[in-house]
CSV table of all heavy atoms in Angstrom, one decimal:
chain,number,residue,atom,x,y,z
I,293,MET,N,0.8,-1.2,0.1
I,293,MET,CA,0.0,0.0,0.0
I,293,MET,C,0.9,1.2,0.0
I,293,MET,O,1.8,1.3,0.8
I,293,MET,CB,-0.9,0.0,1.2
I,293,MET,CG,-1.8,1.1,1.3
I,293,MET,SD,-3.1,1.2,0.0
I,293,MET,CE,-4.0,-0.3,0.1
I,294,LYS,N,0.6,2.1,-0.9
I,294,LYS,CA,1.4,3.4,-1.0
I,294,LYS,C,1.0,4.4,0.2
I,294,LYS,O,-0.1,4.5,0.5
I,294,LYS,CB,1.1,4.0,-2.3
I,294,LYS,CG,1.9,5.3,-2.6
I,294,LYS,CD,1.8,5.7,-4.0
I,294,LYS,CE,2.6,6.9,-4.3
I,294,LYS,NZ,4.0,6.7,-4.0
I,295,ILE,N,2.0,5.1,0.6
I,295,ILE,CA,2.0,6.1,1.7
I,295,ILE,C,2.8,7.3,1.1
I,295,ILE,O,3.8,7.1,0.7
I,295,ILE,CB,2.4,5.6,3.0
I,295,ILE,CG1,1.6,4.5,3.6
I,295,ILE,CG2,2.4,6.7,3.9
I,295,ILE,CD1,2.2,3.9,4.8
I,296,GLY,N,2.1,8.4,1.1
I,296,GLY,CA,2.8,9.6,0.7
I,296,GLY,C,2.2,10.3,-0.5
I,296,GLY,O,0.9,10.2,-0.7
I,297,ILE,N,3.0,10.9,-1.4
I,297,ILE,CA,2.5,11.7,-2.5
I,297,ILE,C,2.2,10.8,-3.7
I,297,ILE,O,3.1,10.0,-4.1
I,297,ILE,CB,3.5,12.8,-2.9
I,297,ILE,CG1,3.6,13.7,-1.7
I,297,ILE,CG2,3.1,13.5,-4.1
I,297,ILE,CD1,4.8,14.7,-1.8
I,298,ARG,N,1.1,10.9,-4.3
I,298,ARG,CA,0.9,10.1,-5.6
I,298,ARG,C,1.6,10.8,-6.8
I,298,ARG,O,1.8,12.0,-6.9
I,298,ARG,CB,-0.7,10.1,-5.9
I,298,ARG,CG,-1.4,9.3,-4.9
I,298,ARG,CD,-2.9,9.2,-5.3
I,298,ARG,NE,-3.6,10.5,-5.3
I,298,ARG,CZ,-4.3,10.9,-4.3
I,298,ARG,NH1,-4.4,10.3,-3.2
I,298,ARG,NH2,-4.9,12.1,-4.3
I,299,LYS,N,2.0,10.0,-7.7
I,299,LYS,CA,2.7,10.4,-8.9
I,299,LYS,C,1.6,10.9,-9.8
I,299,LYS,O,0.7,10.2,-10.2
I,299,LYS,CB,3.5,9.4,-9.6
I,299,LYS,CG,4.3,9.8,-10.7
I,299,LYS,CD,5.3,8.8,-11.2
I,299,LYS,CE,4.9,7.4,-11.2
I,299,LYS,NZ,5.8,6.5,-12.0
I,300,PRO,N,1.7,12.3,-10.3
I,300,PRO,CA,0.7,12.8,-11.2
I,300,PRO,C,0.7,12.2,-12.7
I,300,PRO,O,1.8,11.9,-13.1
I,300,PRO,CB,1.0,14.3,-11.3
I,300,PRO,CG,2.4,14.4,-10.9
I,300,PRO,CD,2.7,13.2,-10.0
I,301,SER,N,-0.4,12.0,-13.2
I,301,SER,CA,-0.5,11.5,-14.6
I,301,SER,C,-1.5,12.4,-15.3
I,301,SER,O,-2.7,12.4,-15.2
I,301,SER,CB,-1.2,10.0,-14.7
I,301,SER,OG,-1.3,9.7,-15.9
I,302,PRO,N,-0.8,13.3,-16.2
I,302,PRO,CA,-1.7,14.2,-16.9
I,302,PRO,C,-2.6,13.6,-17.9
I,302,PRO,O,-3.7,14.0,-18.0
I,302,PRO,CB,-0.6,15.1,-17.7
I,302,PRO,CG,0.7,14.8,-17.1
I,302,PRO,CD,0.6,13.5,-16.4
I,303,LYS,N,-2.2,12.5,-18.5
I,303,LYS,CA,-3.1,11.7,-19.4
I,303,LYS,C,-4.3,11.2,-18.7
I,303,LYS,O,-5.4,11.4,-19.2
I,303,LYS,CB,-2.2,10.5,-19.9
I,303,LYS,CG,-2.9,9.8,-21.0
I,303,LYS,CD,-2.0,8.7,-21.6
I,303,LYS,CE,-2.6,7.9,-22.7
I,303,LYS,NZ,-1.7,6.8,-23.1
I,304,LYS,N,-4.2,10.7,-17.5
I,304,LYS,CA,-5.3,10.1,-16.8
I,304,LYS,C,-6.2,11.3,-16.3
I,304,LYS,O,-7.4,11.2,-16.3
I,304,LYS,CB,-4.8,9.2,-15.7
I,304,LYS,CG,-4.3,7.9,-16.1
I,304,LYS,CD,-3.9,7.1,-14.9
I,304,LYS,CE,-3.4,5.7,-15.3
I,304,LYS,NZ,-3.0,4.9,-14.2
I,305,SER,N,-5.6,12.4,-15.9
I,305,SER,CA,-6.5,13.5,-15.4
I,305,SER,C,-7.2,14.1,-16.5
I,305,SER,O,-8.4,14.5,-16.3
I,305,SER,CB,-5.6,14.6,-14.7
I,305,SER,OG,-4.8,15.2,-15.6
I,306,ILE,N,-6.7,14.2,-17.8
I,306,ILE,CA,-7.5,14.7,-18.9
I,306,ILE,C,-8.6,13.7,-19.3
I,306,ILE,O,-9.7,14.2,-19.6
I,306,ILE,CB,-6.5,15.0,-20.1
I,306,ILE,CG1,-5.5,16.1,-19.7
I,306,ILE,CG2,-7.3,15.3,-21.3
I,306,ILE,CD1,-4.4,16.4,-20.7
I,307,ALA,N,-8.2,12.4,-19.2
I,307,ALA,CA,-9.3,11.5,-19.6
I,307,ALA,C,-10.4,11.5,-18.6
I,307,ALA,O,-11.6,11.4,-19.0
I,307,ALA,CB,-8.6,10.0,-19.6
I,308,ALA,N,-10.1,11.7,-17.3
I,308,ALA,CA,-11.1,11.7,-16.3
I,308,ALA,C,-12.0,13.0,-16.5
I,308,ALA,O,-13.3,12.9,-16.2
I,308,ALA,CB,-10.6,11.8,-14.9
I,309,ARG,N,-11.5,14.0,-17.0
I,309,ARG,CA,-12.3,15.3,-17.2
I,309,ARG,C,-13.1,15.2,-18.5
I,309,ARG,O,-14.0,16.1,-18.6
I,309,ARG,CB,-11.4,16.5,-17.1
I,309,ARG,CG,-11.1,16.9,-15.7
I,309,ARG,CD,-10.4,18.2,-15.6
I,309,ARG,NE,-9.0,17.9,-15.2
I,309,ARG,CZ,-7.9,18.4,-15.8
I,309,ARG,NH1,-8.0,19.2,-16.8
I,309,ARG,NH2,-6.7,18.1,-15.3
I,310,THR,N,-12.7,14.4,-19.5
I,310,THR,CA,-13.4,14.5,-20.8
I,310,THR,C,-14.4,13.2,-20.9
I,310,THR,O,-15.5,13.2,-20.6
I,310,THR,CB,-12.4,14.5,-21.9
I,310,THR,OG1,-11.5,13.6,-21.7
I,310,THR,CG2,-11.7,15.9,-21.8
I,311,LYS,N,-13.7,12.1,-21.4
I,311,LYS,CA,-14.6,10.9,-21.7
I,311,LYS,C,-15.1,10.4,-20.4
I,311,LYS,O,-16.3,9.9,-20.4
I,311,LYS,CB,-13.7,9.9,-22.4
I,311,LYS,CG,-14.6,8.7,-22.8
I,311,LYS,CD,-13.7,7.6,-23.3
I,311,LYS,CE,-14.5,6.3,-23.8
I,311,LYS,NZ,-15.3,5.7,-22.6
I,312,GLY,N,-14.3,10.2,-19.4
I,312,GLY,CA,-14.7,9.7,-18.1
I,312,GLY,C,-16.0,10.4,-17.6
I,312,GLY,O,-16.9,9.8,-17.1
I,313,ARG,N,-15.9,11.7,-17.7
I,313,ARG,CA,-17.1,12.5,-17.2
I,313,ARG,C,-18.3,12.2,-18.0
I,313,ARG,O,-19.4,12.1,-17.4
I,313,ARG,CB,-16.7,14.0,-17.3
I,313,ARG,CG,-17.7,14.9,-16.7
I,313,ARG,CD,-17.2,16.3,-16.8
I,313,ARG,NE,-18.1,17.3,-16.2
I,313,ARG,CZ,-18.0,18.6,-16.1
I,313,ARG,NH1,-16.8,19.2,-16.7
I,313,ARG,NH2,-18.9,19.3,-15.6
I,314,ALA,N,-18.2,12.2,-19.2
I,314,ALA,CA,-19.4,11.8,-20.1
I,314,ALA,C,-20.0,10.4,-19.9
I,314,ALA,O,-21.2,10.2,-19.7
I,314,ALA,CB,-19.1,12.0,-21.6
I,315,THR,N,-19.0,9.4,-19.7
I,315,THR,CA,-19.4,8.0,-19.4
I,315,THR,C,-20.2,7.9,-18.0
I,315,THR,O,-21.2,7.3,-18.0
I,315,THR,CB,-18.1,7.2,-19.4
I,315,THR,OG1,-17.4,7.3,-20.7
I,315,THR,CG2,-18.6,5.7,-19.2
I,316,ARG,N,-19.7,8.7,-17.1
I,316,ARG,CA,-20.3,8.6,-15.7
I,316,ARG,C,-21.7,9.3,-15.8
I,316,ARG,O,-22.5,8.8,-15.2
I,316,ARG,CB,-19.4,9.3,-14.7
I,316,ARG,CG,-18.3,8.5,-14.2
I,316,ARG,CD,-17.5,9.2,-13.1
I,316,ARG,NE,-17.1,10.4,-13.3
I,316,ARG,CZ,-15.9,10.8,-13.8
I,316,ARG,NH1,-15.1,9.8,-14.2
I,316,ARG,NH2,-15.6,12.0,-14.0
I,317,ALA,N,-21.8,10.3,-16.6
I,317,ALA,CA,-23.1,11.0,-16.6
I,317,ALA,C,-24.1,10.0,-17.3
I,317,ALA,O,-25.3,10.0,-16.9
I,317,ALA,CB,-23.0,12.3,-17.5
I,318,VAL,N,-23.8,9.3,-18.4
I,318,VAL,CA,-24.7,8.4,-19.0
I,318,VAL,C,-25.0,7.2,-18.1
I,318,VAL,O,-26.3,6.9,-17.9
I,318,VAL,CB,-24.0,7.8,-20.3
I,318,VAL,CG1,-24.9,6.7,-20.8
I,318,VAL,CG2,-23.9,8.9,-21.3
I,319,LYS,N,-24.0,6.7,-17.4
I,319,LYS,CA,-24.4,5.6,-16.5
I,319,LYS,C,-25.2,6.0,-15.3
I,319,LYS,O,-26.1,5.3,-14.9
I,319,LYS,CB,-23.0,5.1,-15.9
I,319,LYS,CG,-22.2,4.2,-16.9
I,319,LYS,CD,-21.1,3.5,-16.2
I,319,LYS,CE,-20.4,2.4,-17.1
I,319,LYS,NZ,-19.4,1.7,-16.4
I,320,ARG,N,-25.0,7.2,-14.8
I,320,ARG,CA,-25.9,7.7,-13.7
I,320,ARG,C,-27.3,7.8,-14.2
I,320,ARG,O,-28.2,7.6,-13.5
I,320,ARG,CB,-25.4,9.1,-13.2
I,320,ARG,CG,-24.3,9.1,-12.3
I,320,ARG,CD,-24.2,10.4,-11.6
I,320,ARG,NE,-24.4,10.3,-10.2
I,320,ARG,CZ,-23.7,10.9,-9.3
I,320,ARG,NH1,-22.9,11.8,-9.6
I,320,ARG,NH2,-24.0,10.8,-8.0
I,321,ALA,N,-27.6,8.2,-15.5
I,321,ALA,CA,-28.9,8.4,-15.9
I,321,ALA,C,-29.6,7.0,-16.2
I,321,ALA,O,-30.8,6.9,-16.1
I,321,ALA,CB,-28.8,9.2,-17.3
I,322,LEU,N,-28.7,6.0,-16.6
I,322,LEU,CA,-29.3,4.7,-16.8
I,322,LEU,C,-29.4,3.7,-15.7
I,322,LEU,O,-30.3,2.9,-15.7
I,322,LEU,CB,-28.6,4.1,-18.1
I,322,LEU,CG,-28.6,4.9,-19.4
I,322,LEU,CD1,-27.6,4.3,-20.4
I,322,LEU,CD2,-30.0,5.0,-19.9
I,323,ILE,N,-28.4,3.6,-14.9
I,323,ILE,CA,-28.3,2.6,-13.9
I,323,ILE,C,-28.7,3.2,-12.5
I,323,ILE,O,-27.9,4.1,-11.9
I,323,ILE,CB,-26.8,2.1,-13.8
I,323,ILE,CG1,-26.4,1.5,-15.2
I,323,ILE,CG2,-26.7,1.0,-12.7
I,323,ILE,CD1,-24.9,1.2,-15.3
I,324,PRO,N,-29.7,2.7,-11.9
I,324,PRO,CA,-30.1,3.2,-10.6
I,324,PRO,C,-29.1,2.8,-9.6
I,324,PRO,O,-28.7,1.6,-9.6
I,324,PRO,CB,-31.4,2.6,-10.3
I,324,PRO,CG,-31.5,1.5,-11.3
I,324,PRO,CD,-30.7,1.7,-12.4
I,325,GLY,N,-28.6,3.6,-8.8
I,325,GLY,CA,-27.6,3.4,-7.8
I,325,GLY,C,-26.2,3.6,-8.2
I,325,GLY,O,-25.3,3.6,-7.3
I,326,TYR,N,-25.9,3.8,-9.5
I,326,TYR,CA,-24.6,4.1,-9.9
I,326,TYR,C,-24.1,5.5,-9.4
I,326,TYR,O,-24.9,6.4,-9.6
I,326,TYR,CB,-24.6,4.1,-11.5
I,326,TYR,CG,-23.1,4.4,-11.9
I,326,TYR,CD1,-22.2,3.3,-12.1
I,326,TYR,CD2,-22.7,5.6,-12.3
I,326,TYR,CE1,-20.9,3.6,-12.5
I,326,TYR,CE2,-21.4,5.9,-12.8
I,326,TYR,CZ,-20.5,4.8,-12.7
I,326,TYR,OH,-19.2,5.1,-13.2
I,327,GLY,N,-23.0,5.6,-8.8
I,327,GLY,CA,-22.5,6.8,-8.3
I,327,GLY,C,-23.0,7.3,-7.1
I,327,GLY,O,-22.7,8.4,-6.6
I,328,LYS,N,-23.8,6.4,-6.4
I,328,LYS,CA,-24.4,6.8,-5.1
I,328,LYS,C,-23.4,6.5,-4.0
I,328,LYS,O,-22.6,5.5,-4.2
I,328,LYS,CB,-25.7,6.1,-4.9
I,328,LYS,CG,-26.8,6.4,-5.9
I,328,LYS,CD,-27.4,7.7,-5.7
I,328,LYS,CE,-28.5,7.9,-6.6
I,328,LYS,NZ,-28.4,8.4,-7.9
I,329,LYS,N,-23.4,7.2,-3.0
I,329,LYS,CA,-22.5,7.1,-1.9
I,329,LYS,C,-22.7,5.7,-1.3
I,329,LYS,O,-23.8,5.3,-1.0
I,329,LYS,CB,-22.6,8.2,-0.9
I,329,LYS,CG,-21.6,8.3,0.2
I,329,LYS,CD,-21.7,9.5,1.0
I,329,LYS,CE,-20.5,9.5,1.9
I,329,LYS,NZ,-20.4,10.7,2.7
I,330,GLY,N,-21.7,4.9,-1.0
I,330,GLY,CA,-21.7,3.7,-0.3
I,330,GLY,C,-21.9,2.5,-1.3
I,330,GLY,O,-21.9,1.3,-0.8
I,331,MET,N,-22.1,2.7,-2.5
I,331,MET,CA,-22.4,1.5,-3.4
I,331,MET,C,-21.2,0.7,-3.6
I,331,MET,O,-21.3,-0.5,-3.8
I,331,MET,CB,-23.0,2.1,-4.7
I,331,MET,CG,-24.4,2.7,-4.7
I,331,MET,SD,-25.5,1.6,-4.0
I,331,MET,CE,-25.7,0.4,-5.3
I,332,GLY,N,-20.1,1.2,-3.5
I,332,GLY,CA,-18.7,0.4,-3.6
I,332,GLY,C,-18.7,-0.6,-2.6
I,332,GLY,O,-18.2,-1.7,-2.8
I,333,TRP,N,-19.1,-0.3,-1.3
I,333,TRP,CA,-19.1,-1.2,-0.2
I,333,TRP,C,-20.1,-2.4,-0.4
I,333,TRP,O,-19.8,-3.5,-0.1
I,333,TRP,CB,-19.5,-0.5,1.0
I,333,TRP,CG,-18.3,0.3,1.6
I,333,TRP,CD1,-18.2,1.7,1.5
I,333,TRP,CD2,-17.2,-0.1,2.2
I,333,TRP,NE1,-17.1,2.2,2.0
I,333,TRP,CE2,-16.4,1.1,2.4
I,333,TRP,CE3,-16.6,-1.3,2.6
I,333,TRP,CZ2,-15.1,1.0,3.1
I,333,TRP,CZ3,-15.5,-1.3,3.3
I,333,TRP,CH2,-14.7,-0.2,3.5
I,334,LEU,N,-21.1,-2.1,-1.2
I,334,LEU,CA,-22.1,-3.2,-1.5
I,334,LEU,C,-21.6,-4.1,-2.6
I,334,LEU,O,-21.8,-5.3,-2.6
I,334,LEU,CB,-23.4,-2.6,-1.9
I,334,LEU,CG,-24.2,-1.9,-0.7
I,334,LEU,CD1,-25.5,-1.2,-1.3
I,334,LEU,CD2,-24.6,-2.8,0.4
I,335,ARG,N,-21.0,-3.5,-3.7
I,335,ARG,CA,-20.6,-4.2,-4.8
I,335,ARG,C,-19.3,-5.0,-4.5
I,335,ARG,O,-19.3,-6.2,-5.0
I,335,ARG,CB,-20.3,-3.2,-5.9
I,335,ARG,CG,-20.0,-3.8,-7.2
I,335,ARG,CD,-19.8,-2.8,-8.4
I,335,ARG,NE,-19.0,-3.2,-9.4
I,335,ARG,CZ,-17.7,-3.2,-9.5
I,335,ARG,NH1,-17.1,-2.6,-8.6
I,335,ARG,NH2,-17.0,-3.7,-10.4
I,336,ASP,N,-18.4,-4.4,-3.9
I,336,ASP,CA,-17.0,-5.1,-3.7
I,336,ASP,C,-16.4,-4.6,-2.4
I,336,ASP,O,-15.6,-3.7,-2.5
I,336,ASP,CB,-16.2,-4.9,-4.9
I,336,ASP,CG,-14.9,-5.7,-4.9
I,336,ASP,OD1,-14.7,-6.4,-3.9
I,336,ASP,OD2,-14.2,-5.8,-5.9
I,337,PRO,N,-16.7,-5.1,-1.3
I,337,PRO,CA,-16.3,-4.6,0.0
I,337,PRO,C,-14.7,-4.6,0.1
I,337,PRO,O,-14.1,-3.7,0.7
I,337,PRO,CB,-16.9,-5.5,1.1
I,337,PRO,CG,-18.0,-6.2,0.4
I,337,PRO,CD,-17.7,-6.2,-1.1
I,338,LYS,N,-14.1,-5.6,-0.4
I,338,LYS,CA,-12.6,-5.8,-0.3
I,338,LYS,C,-12.0,-4.5,-1.0
I,338,LYS,O,-11.0,-3.9,-0.5
I,338,LYS,CB,-12.1,-7.0,-0.8
I,338,LYS,CG,-10.6,-7.4,-0.6
I,338,LYS,CD,-10.3,-8.8,-1.1
I,338,LYS,CE,-8.9,-9.0,-0.9
I,338,LYS,NZ,-8.5,-10.4,-1.4
I,339,ARG,N,-12.4,-4.3,-2.2
I,339,ARG,CA,-11.9,-3.2,-3.0
I,339,ARG,C,-12.2,-1.9,-2.4
I,339,ARG,O,-11.3,-1.0,-2.4
I,339,ARG,CB,-12.5,-3.3,-4.4
I,339,ARG,CG,-12.0,-2.3,-5.3
I,339,ARG,CD,-12.8,-2.5,-6.7
I,339,ARG,NE,-12.2,-1.5,-7.7
I,339,ARG,CZ,-12.6,-1.5,-8.9
I,339,ARG,NH1,-13.5,-2.4,-9.3
I,339,ARG,NH2,-12.1,-0.6,-9.8
I,340,ALA,N,-13.4,-1.7,-1.9
I,340,ALA,CA,-13.8,-0.5,-1.2
I,340,ALA,C,-12.9,-0.2,0.0
I,340,ALA,O,-12.5,1.0,0.2
I,340,ALA,CB,-15.2,-0.4,-0.9
I,341,ALA,N,-12.5,-1.2,0.8
I,341,ALA,CA,-11.7,-1.0,1.9
I,341,ALA,C,-10.2,-0.6,1.5
I,341,ALA,O,-9.7,0.3,2.2
I,341,ALA,CB,-11.7,-2.3,2.7
I,342,LYS,N,-9.7,-1.2,0.5
I,342,LYS,CA,-8.4,-0.9,0.0
I,342,LYS,C,-8.4,0.6,-0.4
I,342,LYS,O,-7.5,1.3,-0.2
I,342,LYS,CB,-8.0,-1.8,-1.2
I,342,LYS,CG,-7.5,-3.1,-0.7
I,342,LYS,CD,-7.0,-3.9,-1.9
I,342,LYS,CE,-6.5,-5.2,-1.5
I,342,LYS,NZ,-5.9,-6.0,-2.6
I,343,ASN,N,-9.5,1.0,-1.2
I,343,ASN,CA,-9.6,2.4,-1.7
I,343,ASN,C,-9.7,3.4,-0.6
I,343,ASN,O,-9.0,4.5,-0.6
I,343,ASN,CB,-10.7,2.5,-2.6
I,343,ASN,CG,-10.5,1.9,-4.0
I,343,ASN,OD1,-9.3,1.6,-4.4
I,343,ASN,ND2,-11.6,1.5,-4.7
I,344,ALA,N,-10.4,3.1,0.5
I,344,ALA,CA,-10.5,3.9,1.6
I,344,ALA,C,-9.2,4.1,2.3
I,344,ALA,O,-8.9,5.2,2.7
I,344,ALA,CB,-11.6,3.3,2.6
I,345,VAL,N,-8.5,3.1,2.5
I,345,VAL,CA,-7.2,3.2,3.2
I,345,VAL,C,-6.2,4.0,2.2
I,345,VAL,O,-5.5,4.8,2.7
I,345,VAL,CB,-6.5,1.8,3.4
I,345,VAL,CG1,-5.1,1.9,3.9
I,345,VAL,CG2,-7.3,1.1,4.5
I,346,TYR,N,-6.2,3.7,1.0
I,346,TYR,CA,-5.3,4.5,0.0
I,346,TYR,C,-5.6,5.9,0.1
I,346,TYR,O,-4.7,6.8,0.0
I,346,TYR,CB,-5.5,3.9,-1.5
I,346,TYR,CG,-4.8,4.6,-2.5
I,346,TYR,CD1,-3.4,4.3,-2.7
I,346,TYR,CD2,-5.4,5.5,-3.4
I,346,TYR,CE1,-2.6,4.9,-3.7
I,346,TYR,CE2,-4.6,6.1,-4.3
I,346,TYR,CZ,-3.3,5.8,-4.5
I,346,TYR,OH,-2.5,6.4,-5.4
I,347,LYS,N,-6.9,6.3,0.0
I,347,LYS,CA,-7.3,7.7,0.0
I,347,LYS,C,-6.8,8.4,1.2
I,347,LYS,O,-6.5,9.6,1.3
I,347,LYS,CB,-8.8,7.8,-0.1
I,347,LYS,CG,-9.3,9.2,-0.2
I,347,LYS,CD,-10.8,9.2,-0.5
I,347,LYS,CE,-11.3,10.7,-0.5
I,347,LYS,NZ,-12.7,10.9,-0.4
I,348,ARG,N,-6.8,7.7,2.4
I,348,ARG,CA,-6.4,8.3,3.7
I,348,ARG,C,-4.9,8.3,3.9
I,348,ARG,O,-4.4,9.2,4.6
I,348,ARG,CB,-7.0,7.6,4.8
I,348,ARG,CG,-8.5,7.9,5.0
I,348,ARG,CD,-9.1,7.1,6.1
I,348,ARG,NE,-10.5,7.4,6.3
I,348,ARG,CZ,-11.5,7.0,5.6
I,348,ARG,NH1,-11.4,6.1,4.5
I,348,ARG,NH2,-12.8,7.3,5.9
I,349,THR,N,-4.1,7.6,3.1
I,349,THR,CA,-2.7,7.5,3.3
I,349,THR,C,-1.9,8.2,2.3
I,349,THR,O,-0.6,8.2,2.4
I,349,THR,CB,-2.2,6.0,3.4
I,349,THR,OG1,-2.6,5.3,2.3
I,349,THR,CG2,-2.7,5.3,4.6
I,350,THR,N,-2.5,8.7,1.2
I,350,THR,CA,-1.8,9.4,0.2
I,350,THR,C,-2.4,10.8,0.0
I,350,THR,O,-3.5,11.0,0.3
I,350,THR,CB,-1.8,8.6,-1.2
I,350,THR,OG1,-3.2,8.4,-1.6
I,350,THR,CG2,-1.3,7.2,-1.0
I,351,ILE,N,-1.6,11.6,-0.7
I,351,ILE,CA,-2.0,13.0,-1.1
I,351,ILE,C,-1.6,13.2,-2.5
I,351,ILE,O,-0.6,12.7,-3.0
I,351,ILE,CB,-1.4,14.0,-0.2
I,351,ILE,CG1,0.0,14.1,-0.2
I,351,ILE,CG2,-2.0,13.9,1.2
I,351,ILE,CD1,0.6,15.3,0.5
I,352,GLY,N,-2.4,14.0,-3.2
I,352,GLY,CA,-2.0,14.4,-4.6
I,352,GLY,C,-1.3,15.7,-4.6
I,352,GLY,O,-1.2,16.4,-3.7
I,353,TRP,N,-0.8,15.9,-5.8
I,353,TRP,CA,0.0,17.2,-6.0
I,353,TRP,C,-0.9,18.4,-5.8
I,353,TRP,O,-0.5,19.4,-5.3
I,353,TRP,CB,0.5,17.3,-7.4
I,353,TRP,CG,1.7,16.4,-7.6
I,353,TRP,CD1,1.7,15.1,-8.2
I,353,TRP,CD2,3.0,16.7,-7.2
I,353,TRP,NE1,3.0,14.6,-8.0
I,353,TRP,CE2,3.8,15.6,-7.5
I,353,TRP,CE3,3.6,17.7,-6.5
I,353,TRP,CZ2,5.1,15.5,-7.2
I,353,TRP,CZ3,4.9,17.7,-6.2
I,353,TRP,CH2,5.7,16.6,-6.6
I,354,SER,N,-2.2,18.4,-6.1
I,354,SER,CA,-3.0,19.6,-5.9
I,354,SER,C,-3.3,19.8,-4.5
I,354,SER,O,-3.5,21.0,-4.1
I,354,SER,CB,-4.4,19.3,-6.7
I,354,SER,OG,-5.0,18.1,-6.1
I,355,ASP,N,-3.2,18.7,-3.7
I,355,ASP,CA,-3.4,18.9,-2.2
I,355,ASP,C,-2.3,19.7,-1.5
I,355,ASP,O,-2.5,20.4,-0.5
I,355,ASP,CB,-3.5,17.6,-1.5
I,355,ASP,CG,-4.7,16.8,-2.0
I,355,ASP,OD1,-5.7,17.5,-2.3
I,355,ASP,OD2,-4.7,15.5,-1.9
I,356,LEU,N,-1.1,19.7,-2.2
I,356,LEU,CA,0.1,20.4,-1.6
I,356,LEU,C,-0.1,21.9,-1.8
I,356,LEU,O,0.5,22.7,-1.0
I,356,LEU,CB,1.4,20.0,-2.3
I,356,LEU,CG,1.8,18.5,-2.2
I,356,LEU,CD1,3.0,18.2,-3.1
I,356,LEU,CD2,2.1,18.2,-0.7
I,357,PHE,N,-0.9,22.4,-2.7
I,357,PHE,CA,-0.9,23.8,-3.1
I,357,PHE,C,-2.3,24.5,-2.5
I,357,PHE,O,-2.5,25.6,-2.8
I,357,PHE,CB,-0.9,24.1,-4.6
I,357,PHE,CG,0.4,23.5,-5.1
I,357,PHE,CD1,0.4,22.5,-6.0
I,357,PHE,CD2,1.6,24.1,-4.8
I,357,PHE,CE1,1.6,22.0,-6.5
I,357,PHE,CE2,2.9,23.7,-5.3
I,357,PHE,CZ,2.8,22.6,-6.1
I,358,LYS,N,-2.9,23.7,-1.7
I,358,LYS,CA,-4.2,24.2,-1.1
I,358,LYS,C,-3.9,25.0,0.2
I,358,LYS,O,-3.0,24.7,0.9
I,358,LYS,CB,-5.3,23.1,-0.9
I,358,LYS,CG,-5.8,22.6,-2.1
I,358,LYS,CD,-6.9,21.6,-1.8
I,358,LYS,CE,-7.5,21.0,-3.2
I,358,LYS,NZ,-8.5,20.0,-2.9
């Protein structure tokens, strides 16, 4: 498990803001429960637990300048 600063990826951040954003909007409109808080814990608890720990133990570059 990583602890500390995450390595930035410009390619992934651009993808998240363009195609990823559109894909999430479509899925939210079609799939009930998609994107709702806590759904990750219902779908895959092991993965959700790992993501929760990762989020609390790492920081991104943007967090350094806030």
Side-chain angles (χ1 to χ4, degrees):
M293 184 60 63
K294 183 168 180 59
I295 295 174
I297 300 173
R298 293 186 293 268
K299 184 168 43 166
S301 173
K303 187 176 179 181
K304 287 183 181 180
S305 67
I306 290 169
R309 280 187 250 134
T310 54
K311 183 190 181 293
R313 185 176 182 181
T315 305
R316 284 190 302 274
V318 170
K319 283 188 171 186
R320 275 193 120 145
L322 298 176
I323 303 170
Y326 181 85
K328 300 288 190 271
K329 191 169 183 172
M331 290 304 288
W333 287 100
L334 294 175
R335 187 179 155 269
D336 191 351
K338 187 176 179 181
R339 181 179 183 176
K342 282 185 178 180
N343 287 339
V345 171
Y346 179 78
K347 186 178 178 187
R348 286 174 176 81
T349 57
T350 61
I351 59 170
W353 283 100
S354 61
D355 297 331
L356 294 174
F357 302 110
K358 287 184 179 175

